[in-house]
Amino acid sequence: MGKVIAIANQKGGVGKTTTAINLAASLAVLEKRTLLIDADPQANTTSGMDFNPESTDKRTLYEVLIGQLAIEDAVRDTQIEHLKIITSHINLVGAEVEMFEIEQRESVLRNALAKIRSQFDYIIIDCAPSLGLITVNALTAADSVIIPVQPEFFALEGLGKLMNTIKIVQTRLNRNLSVMGFLFTMFDSRLRLHNQVVEEVREHFSGMVFDTLITRNIRLSEAPSFGKPAILYDAGSSGAANYLLLAQEILQKNDR
């Protein structure tokens, strides 16, 4: 049964999509059957994996959530063996309104994933930078959450709100949901502030911070404009190496 991991933070620009793409790609390179789901109407994961988010091909997460398409028909191949994707579209913005009258609307994605979960070892969901119905669907479907954060004090401000939402989901919708950990992104070891924030968060959230740090890396930033994960764009880059380390850390946590 595939382990479902949501990548979530309502604050934008923290490396959420970069993490979803590169973690999924790294797990696939390590020969884990992996599904990447773009649950963000901005569709950055979709374009970052070389799919056109403005395509008229109606095989996206939107059609799945509103009941127009079976989830297995939305799964597509990618450039990496063992890695599949369900793409997003700007139409996903309207899905929350269209889902409003559906019974158990918070569980639509979980119910859909139940049909294909056994085909994968890992399912990675890139959430929108909001705490709306689609993000709640992702958290309801997930076994665990990875929270990417920048090592800056302002970046930590919204964590309380996100943790509150996770607690509500745990209480009302998904008792099995756990926080796998906080992942520091865009880390620069030369900056005293970055080192200080990492140290303080590790102290405050004991055992909930990944050992792996995602360092600031130009190749990691360039890769999405070429429609590739870092491991395909430049396998020797520190960004690609960081995400491979993260994938290995996750495999160790899950004994896989």
Side-chain angles (χ1 to χ4, degrees):
M1 186 70 78
K3 186 165 183 63
V4 183
I5 303 172
I7 314 293
N9 192 330
Q10 81 275 18
K11 185 174 172 61
V14 295
K16 196 169 41 58
T17 295
T18 299
T19 295
I21 290 173
N22 289 289
L23 173 57
S26 296
L27 287 166
V29 164
L30 294 170
E31 299 190 345
K32 298 298 173 186
R33 299 168 302 160
T34 307
L35 174 64
L36 176 59
I37 300 177
D38 190 350
D40 184 349
Q42 294 177 77
N44 290 331
T45 290
T46 298
S47 56
M49 288 295 295
D50 206 26
F51 289 88
N52 180 5
E54 295 177 11
S55 168
T56 54
D57 187 339
K58 297 187 181 301
R59 287 185 298 148
T60 73
L61 184 63
Y62 168 72
E63 284 78 21
V64 173
L65 291 179
I66 64 167
Q68 286 185 357
L69 184 73
I71 193 165
E72 51 268 37
D73 295 329
V75 176
R76 306 171 188 237
D77 292 330
T78 70
Q79 304 168 67
I80 298 178
E81 193 183 358
H82 304 303
L83 179 59
K84 310 280 189 187
I85 189 171
I86 295 178
T87 60
S88 183
H89 189 278
I90 189 66
N91 286 350
L92 196 57
V93 170
E96 295 197 2
V97 177
E98 294 180 62
M99 291 164 70
F100 191 73
E101 292 184 7
I102 297 175
E103 270 189 58
Q104 296 184 314
R105 57 183 177 269
E106 298 90 352
S107 303
V108 173
L109 183 56
R110 176 167 66 187
N111 296 338
L113 281 177
K115 298 169 188 170
I116 60 168
R117 202 167 158 166
S118 61
Q119 298 170 29
F120 298 97
D121 298 310
Y122 285 92
I123 297 171
I124 307 295
I125 307 174
D126 181 25
C127 299
S130 71
L131 297 176
L133 181 58
I134 294 169
T135 297
V136 169
N137 258 265
L139 295 174
T140 303
D143 297 304
S144 55
V145 191
I146 292 175
I147 304 170
V149 287
Q150 283 180 269
E152 295 169 2
F153 287 113
F154 286 130
L156 304 177
E157 280 188 340
L159 288 184
K161 196 172 179 183
L162 177 60
M163 295 300 281
N164 210 32
T165 300
I166 289 169
K167 275 180 191 165
I168 291 167
V169 171
Q170 286 169 328
T171 306
R172 300 182 188 172
L173 301 164
N174 182 2
R175 248 180 289 172
N176 299 320
L177 180 66
S178 66
V179 176
M180 188 182 284
F182 297 97
L183 173 69
F184 279 107
T185 60
M186 305 177 213
F187 176 76
D188 188 337
S189 60
R190 298 167 300 180
L191 298 178
R192 188 175 159 192
L193 173 65
H194 283 202
N195 289 293
Q196 193 180 341
V197 172
V198 169
E199 197 177 310
E200 286 188 18
V201 173
R202 280 187 170 149
E203 206 172 292
H204 190 266
F205 293 99
S206 180
M208 288 178 66
V209 182
F210 283 99
D211 293 333
T212 305
L213 297 168
I214 308 301
T215 54
R216 207 180 280 279
N217 176 239
I218 190 67
R219 308 303 268 170
L220 204 52
S221 305
E222 289 172 351
S225 61
F226 291 87
K228 292 180 178 182
I231 206 156
L232 283 188
Y233 179 62
D234 184 353
S237 66
S238 63
N242 289 165
Y243 278 107
L244 265 176
L245 280 173
L246 176 66
Q248 287 163 343
E249 188 175 346
I250 287 168
L251 294 179
Q252 283 170 356
K253 277 179 188 276
N254 293 294
D255 296 317
R256 288 190 181 197

